[in-house]
Amino acid sequence: MLFDDIFEGNYEIGREGKLETNKWLLFVKDKNQLSRYLPRLTRVTNAMRDETLAEIASAYVMEKLLGYTIVNWEEKTVNNYDVDFVIKEDADKIYCEVKSPGWESELTKKELKKGDQGRRGKPKYLPHEFRSIAPWKNIRHVIKKAYPKFLPTSKNLIIVKDDLRVSILEWPNKTPIEIALDEDTGQYNNEMGYFANRDYENIGGILFIDINPTSSMKYKVKFFPNVNSKIPFIIPIY
């Protein structure tokens, strides 16, 4: 199995997760991209490995599940930035940037200062641990971080595959997404939702991916368009 060849026992996950991850790895191998990803999978921190797998999984979803064709990888855009990959939509291209906020981002500054010797070095879930979380902040953060990469003359998509304690798509009624994107009073951090005005008009929309290999519905995918986008588009979800 390609998974075992790459990680050599240094990455332990359940059988279902292993089989699904193996599909993603075979996909990028068939795309002649595996060698480029290998250093980011095996010679880095666990967080970087997980971010890299999120990028690979997102590419797999776009092509194998949603039917788009990836026509380029790491394409240069503006000010020496590049996006993770580019997909073809009829005669147009959509520039895709993947972000994967992790549960470590929900730790306090005091906890983060302790590094791996503190809470960050422990498992994601601990018995009897409860804390306040605000995933709308994570959504806004990834939008702000991705935005400088996008050309104003192209279709641009942010893909989010998070590793938060509670996945963004598991929240009822899309509450964190609505706050992050559409809230129009400014009551959250004194900012309006990032799609509530034209401040982020170069972004056409944001696609959320949640993957649970043990579920009957392994892949959940939802797209939210930016109604104030300069170049709007839709990603149909079947």
Side-chain angles (χ1 to χ4, degrees):
M1 184 181 286
L2 183 57
F3 180 100
D4 295 324
D5 293 340
I6 290 174
F7 294 111
E8 299 179 332
N10 294 315
Y11 180 31
E12 297 294 333
I13 55 175
R15 175 171 172 76
E16 294 87 352
K18 186 176 180 179
L19 291 173
E20 210 62 34
T21 304
N22 197 65
K23 291 180 185 178
W24 310 338
L25 297 170
L26 288 171
F27 168 72
V28 291
K29 181 180 180 181
D30 290 342
K31 289 290 205 178
N32 297 316
Q33 296 296 314
L34 182 59
S35 60
R36 179 172 64 83
Y37 279 116
L38 279 177
R40 294 167 53 194
L41 290 170
T42 59
R43 304 173 193 169
V44 292
T45 62
N46 291 346
M48 176 58 74
R49 177 202 63 209
D50 293 345
E51 289 176 9
T52 304
L53 286 173
E55 183 180 322
I56 294 172
S58 298
Y60 174 89
V61 168
M62 296 307 296
E63 182 157 313
K64 292 297 187 179
L65 302 186
L66 298 185
Y68 292 91
T69 300
I70 297 176
V71 295
N72 203 5
W73 304 77
E74 293 190 315
E75 182 161 329
K76 294 295 182 183
T77 53
V78 62
N79 295 331
N80 209 35
Y81 282 117
D82 58 61
V83 293
D84 292 319
F85 52 84
V86 180
I87 59 176
K88 186 173 177 59
E89 183 197 39
D90 297 325
D92 294 332
K93 296 194 297 184
I94 300 176
Y95 291 71
C96 304
E97 178 68 13
V98 179
K99 295 299 180 186
S100 54
W103 64 271
E104 298 90 345
S105 65
E106 298 173 315
L107 299 177
T108 65
K109 291 181 179 180
K110 185 177 180 180
E111 288 172 318
L112 289 172
K113 282 183 179 179
K114 295 181 180 179
D116 290 340
Q117 302 303 313
R119 179 64 184 88
R120 191 172 67 180
K122 296 178 181 179
K124 177 179 177 180
Y125 301 110
L126 293 178
H128 313 298
E129 181 182 57
F130 303 94
R131 63 175 65 231
S132 175
I133 55 178
W136 59 269
K137 290 184 179 179
N138 297 95
I139 299 172
R140 289 185 179 179
H141 177 72
V142 300
I143 293 173
K144 190 178 295 185
K145 190 173 180 180
Y147 196 71
K149 295 189 172 189
F150 293 133
L151 292 162
T153 55
S154 63
K155 294 182 177 180
N156 302 306
L157 174 69
I158 296 176
I159 302 173
V160 176
K161 183 192 175 300
D162 72 81
D163 185 33
L164 302 174
R165 284 185 177 82
V166 179
S167 174
I168 291 168
L169 290 184
E170 290 180 4
W171 284 79
N173 304 320
K174 303 179 294 187
T175 301
I177 298 173
E178 291 173 340
I179 293 172
L181 303 181
D182 303 324
E183 202 284 319
D184 60 3
T185 67
Q187 64 177 303
Y188 293 88
N189 271 16
N190 296 315
E191 291 182 303
M192 293 177 63
Y194 284 9
F195 289 177
N197 55 35
R198 302 193 71 87
D199 287 352
Y200 292 89
E201 64 182 2
N202 292 343
I203 299 172
I206 185 166
L207 185 86
F208 295 94
I209 298 174
D210 181 36
I211 302 175
N212 183 353
T214 62
S215 171
S216 58
M217 186 177 181
K218 293 182 181 180
Y219 292 84
K220 294 180 182 178
V221 183
K222 290 188 178 180
F223 172 73
F224 295 85
N226 181 0
V227 296
N228 287 300
S229 175
K230 188 182 295 184
I231 308 178
F233 59 87
I234 296 292
I235 301 290
I237 307 298
Y238 303 103

